[in-house]
Amino acid sequence: MIGNDGQSRGRSLLSAASNEMLTRVGPGTPMGELLRRYWQPIAGASEFDSQPVKPVRLMGEDLVLYRDRAGHYGLIDRHCPHRRADMAYGWVEQTGIRCSYHGWLMDAAGRCLEQPYEDTANPRPSRAGCDVKAYPVKECAGLVFAYLGPLPAPELPVWEPLTWPNGFREIVLADVPCNWFQCQENSIDPVHFEWMHDNWSSRQRGGDHNTAPRHLKLKFEEFEHGFIYKRVREGQSEQDRYWTVGRVALWPNGFFLGSHFEWRVPVDDENTLSVAWFFTRVPKGREPYVQERVPTWVSPLKNENGRFITSHIINQDIVAWIGQGRIADRTKENLRSSDIGITMMRRRFFAEMEAVAAGKEPGGVIRSANQARCIALPNIARELNTEGIALADFGKEPLLRPRLNEFRFHYGQPPEVRRAFIEAMGIGGD
Ligand code: FES
Ligand SMILES: [Fe+2]
């Protein structure tokens, strides 16, 4: 069924039908049903400080996400149950959101609480048929998560880094016009770091040699919460943390690199919301540092000439994802040994889609509140981020050194976020 032997020889044999299965996310599709079993990050909580209502499209469903005056989130149908006006132009009240057309009021459970004219003019107004679809929402570490699957919802997995104190966190969103799965395949693709992020960056700075340390050895492993890739590059050994610990392609659509997470959230079959959460531990001696509000910003993808921005790490990744086509045609690829992890991941997706179709709970769904409260992940940067290091030592640490000078992951960090970061780190002005 998987039809993909592309390990070290020959062409991939992924069929068009298999490609459809991996990429289609609407309600009732195998992948859509699988992904709906997991909580998805869909926004930053701080977005709702200035604008409490946000239209969102998730896995082909048009919805509106809001935070009411009591501070509760709701995620309900984009259209009002009365005559289908756009709830994104409604306003929030103490409880729920009110349609701006005739004032019907909806709550986070999708119940229609008020129909002002009916409630006034009719002795027994009917709410029959007026409930709308509504999905559970939770906030964690500045992120807003939603669950679009069958109830009861599983626990929201709280990954350990989301619980770390004494760090400056920020959330960066990007609207990526291509299918989510090619974005997620990038989470298990170590060799691209050498070429896309190292050699290409150096070429853009005027270099004319490929000077990045080459990858010498790769290993891919599966674990409870996804896959781990390990690598040895020139100048490293098997004692290095990139080999002993590795990095995590987080099941089902995340990526964890030690100090930050990335999620590739399907908007629909041809669009993805990239959600990234970053943590930088304040230098030793600056604790306690309490960040009241986690800033959220949107990274632009194109410059004023309409060209993709290629200077920043995740912007570079996005150029690769979009370049593969709106939905990558996997019948035409040629997988090799660098792609073993990709094949492993596809196999796991096919197996879990089958499990869901058979009425089973797929892997990685957590039902125990105790287990979900703080889940450790393999982490190359755990000590750096929990113990912290002195500011004077940042320069010795390749993972931290670049952070002080600039935010290299996404283009477009707003100046006020940079200022807040400088203040948190205690590093003076630019
Ligand atoms: S369409 Fe929303 S209240 Fe009439
Ligand atoms: Fe990358």
Side-chain angles (χ1 to χ4, degrees), residues 31-71:
M31 185 61 87
E33 290 305 301
L34 173 61
L35 289 178
R36 280 171 173 75
R37 264 55 176 190
Y38 304 92
W39 287 89
Q40 300 288 342
I42 60 166
S46 54
E47 292 181 82
F48 296 84
D49 297 346
S50 53
Q51 174 52 267
V53 183
K54 182 182 184 182
V56 293
R57 185 166 159 81
L58 290 172
M59 296 190 262
E61 299 185 43
D62 286 312
L63 305 164
V64 65
L65 175 62
Y66 67 86
R67 186 167 71 196
D68 68 20
R69 295 240 179 105

Side-chain angles (χ1 to χ4, degrees), residues 80-85 87 99-104:
C80 176
H82 179 215
R83 280 175 30 225
R84 306 202 40 82
M87 294 301 287
C99 178
S100 52
Y101 203 5
H102 315 97
W104 286 25

Side-chain angles (χ1 to χ4, degrees), residues 186 189 192-193 196-197 255 262 264 313-314 316-317 321:
N186 181 229
D189 182 353
H192 90 280
F193 281 84
M196 173 154 261
H197 302 313
F255 189 16
E262 299 171 23
R264 300 70 162 88
I313 295 170
I314 299 174
Q316 293 173 341
D317 291 321
W321 309 341

